Amino acid sequence: MSTTQATRLLLALAIIIVAARLLGALARRLDQPPVIGEVLAGIALGPTLLHGTVSEAVFPTDIRPFLAALANLGVALFMFIVGLELDHALVRGRGRLASSVSISSIVLPFGLGALLSLYLIGNHPSRDPLGFALFMGAAMSVTAFPVLARILTDREMSHTLVGQVALTCAAVDDVLAWTMLATVVTVAGAAADQARLLLLVLPYLAAMFLVVRPLLRRVAAAQRAAGRLTSSTLAVVLAGVLLSAAATEAVGLHFIFGAFLFGVVMPREGGAALRAELLERVGQVSSVLLLPVFFIVAGLRVDLSAVGSTGLAELALILLVAIGGKFVGAYLAARANGLPARESGALATLMNTRGLTELVILNIGLQLTLLDTRLYSLMVVMAVLTTAMAGPLLRLLYPPRHYAPAAPVATASPG
């Protein structure tokens, strides 16, 4: 890296941090998740405004590979945090209501997304029609667990029946969504050599659960004995995240799966203190520096300046499928299980929250060339709008006066 590149990179990082914090704070003042403002910062600094004049001046081409590398690191740490925040207890014992809402809120939008791909592929040709259809289905099925959890906390809904069921469903959706995406990645890159490499996935999974998890229990025990998160423990965990991410990238899956799974296998029993400190320390570095870089890199690929009538019609269909599929699937399943109409509507609204999780998936689609730049841009708009609408719709459908203390959810065998 030359002196000029280093100077430009440092200036760009400073601008990214300031822009993300300012627009994130503005979003919070407007009762929106900060991620909305941070994504809009990326779009504003991209080619959409002033035909790329700002992006070329602030983020010249010669420093973009370095920004992309930092963005990938930010995504890896974000996926680790998502896996770390996934509470196994949430997924178990929630009964028929949570199970049926989770399945219905994935199956319906997945099917509608796959059908929509048959229309979109006419204007956005793909080298892999099957992979494109599967990807569109997966992209329509996402619920962002971290953003949903933040919305529930901000609105003091975490301990209501609707909040608890929404968290459970989002946790299940996360697992199923990443499983579907792993299938898409496999189908989209199904070369003979990659097929052979994918045979290593099973040994990798066995090593994670049979070797790495017991070792992490020892790390958690050592941390409890020390009474705090030591730099050595932090180094072990971060190295483990990166090694796990590298392993899945090497065998033909995306690195996000390795980072996510490392967070999943972190010990829960006896490891609460370790998880809390990791969430605080890793989360701060990720949210303040690395994820804003990801938003900028993602925004540099969004170009809405040339969206014409065809693009607006496609956006309308995308929003109809994304919002309608999630809402109808979740609402009907909730009503079928006896949840009142108001609570069912609130739950269906929450399940439409896509946030950063959707952006991660869309960037994978772009990397796999399943999406072109125009369709990617429209899908990013969908991700922003479906996340931004959650707050206003919740205030309309489920104002605070209707909150009730959480009642135990039926624990009959999942149906």
Side-chain angles (χ1 to χ4, degrees):
M1 180 187 294
S2 67
T3 301
T4 301
Q5 286 176 314
T7 303
R8 288 174 174 174
L9 179 61
L10 294 172
L11 287 173
L13 290 175
I15 291 171
I16 289 170
I17 292 173
V18 172
R21 299 305 289 181
L22 288 177
L23 288 183
L26 177 60
R28 189 176 285 279
R29 287 181 65 87
L30 296 175
D31 200 24
Q32 290 290 338
V35 66
I36 294 294
E38 292 166 346
V39 172
L40 291 178
I43 295 174
L45 293 172
T48 295
L49 300 180
L50 302 177
H51 302 287
T53 303
V54 174
S55 61
E56 289 295 335
V58 180
F59 310 111
T61 306
D62 61 343
I63 68 167
R64 293 189 184 184
F66 302 110
L67 291 175
L70 289 172
N72 284 337
L73 178 58
V75 170
L77 292 180
F78 168 73
M79 290 307 302
F80 166 66
I81 291 171
V82 171
L84 194 62
E85 287 185 323
L86 187 63
D87 190 345
H88 301 170
L90 275 178
V91 183
R92 296 192 299 266
R94 286 296 177 183
R96 181 171 300 175
L97 172 60
S99 301
S100 56
V101 170
S102 298
I103 293 171
S104 183
S105 67
I106 284 182
V107 170
L108 184 57
F110 185 94
L112 292 175
L115 285 175
L116 179 61
S117 72
L118 300 178
Y119 168 76
L120 293 175
I121 201 168
N123 294 326
H124 308 275
S126 173
R127 60 176 176 79
D128 184 359
L130 176 60
F132 179 66
L134 293 175
F135 178 84
M136 289 300 297
M140 296 297 181
S141 306
V142 171
T143 295
F145 181 85
V147 176
L148 185 146
R150 182 63 58 84
I151 290 173
L152 291 175
T153 300
D154 290 346
R155 284 166 173 72
E156 299 182 345
M157 291 178 61
S158 299
H159 300 295
T160 65
L161 174 61
V162 170
Q164 290 188 358
V165 173
L167 282 174
T168 305
C169 295
V172 174
D173 275 17
D174 255 10
V175 174
L176 294 178
W178 297 122
T179 302
M180 289 189 296
L181 188 61
T183 303
V184 172
V185 171
T186 303
V187 170
D193 57 341
Q194 188 181 41
R196 287 193 294 270
L197 282 173
L198 284 170
L199 294 176
L200 298 174
V201 170
L202 290 179
Y204 160 77
L205 292 174
M208 290 296 292
F209 284 96
L210 300 178
V211 178
V212 174
R213 175 178 269 180
L215 290 175
L216 289 173
R217 289 197 184 102
R218 295 186 181 182
V219 171
Q223 188 264 348
R224 287 199 307 273
R228 60 185 179 84
L229 179 63
T230 64
S231 56
S232 297
T233 300
L234 182 60
V236 168
V237 171
L238 291 178
V241 172
L242 298 179
L243 287 172
S244 182
T248 52
E249 184 74 25
V251 300
L253 292 176
H254 202 277
F255 66 83
I256 64 169
F257 300 109
F260 173 73
L261 189 60
F262 197 86
V264 169
V265 301
M266 289 292 295
R268 267 57 179 174
E269 295 181 4
L274 175 61
R275 288 177 63 212
E277 292 204 52
L278 284 173
L279 286 171
E280 181 179 358
R281 292 203 194 181
V282 178
Q284 283 183 344
V285 174
S286 178
S287 63
V288 173
L289 174 61
L290 297 176
L291 282 180
V293 174
F294 169 74
F295 293 134
I296 294 299
V297 171
L300 291 175
R301 297 166 177 163
V302 174
D303 188 359
L304 300 173
S305 60
V307 174
S309 57
T310 301
L312 290 176
E314 290 176 345
L315 177 59
L317 285 174
I318 289 169
L319 288 171
L320 178 63
V321 168
I323 298 172
K326 268 288 187 185
F327 191 95
V328 172
Y331 181 85
L332 291 181
R335 292 291 290 145
N337 282 275
L339 202 66
R342 186 180 296 276
E343 284 76 5
S344 297
L347 180 59
T349 299
L350 287 166
M351 296 305 293
N352 252 303
T353 304
R354 287 176 170 85
L356 178 54
T357 305
E358 181 76 23
L359 292 182
V360 172
I361 290 178
L362 294 180
N363 273 271
I364 293 174
L366 197 61
Q367 292 169 13
L368 295 174
T369 67
L370 293 172
L371 298 179
D372 59 24
T373 302
R374 288 188 299 125
L375 185 53
Y376 168 81
S377 300
L378 297 178
M379 294 292 284
V380 169
V381 173
M382 178 272 288
V384 172
L385 291 178
T386 52
T387 305
M389 74 180 193
L393 276 181
L394 276 177
R395 283 194 299 273
L396 177 65
L397 296 174
Y398 200 53
R401 67 178 181 273
H402 291 284
Y403 293 2
V409 183
T411 55
S413 58

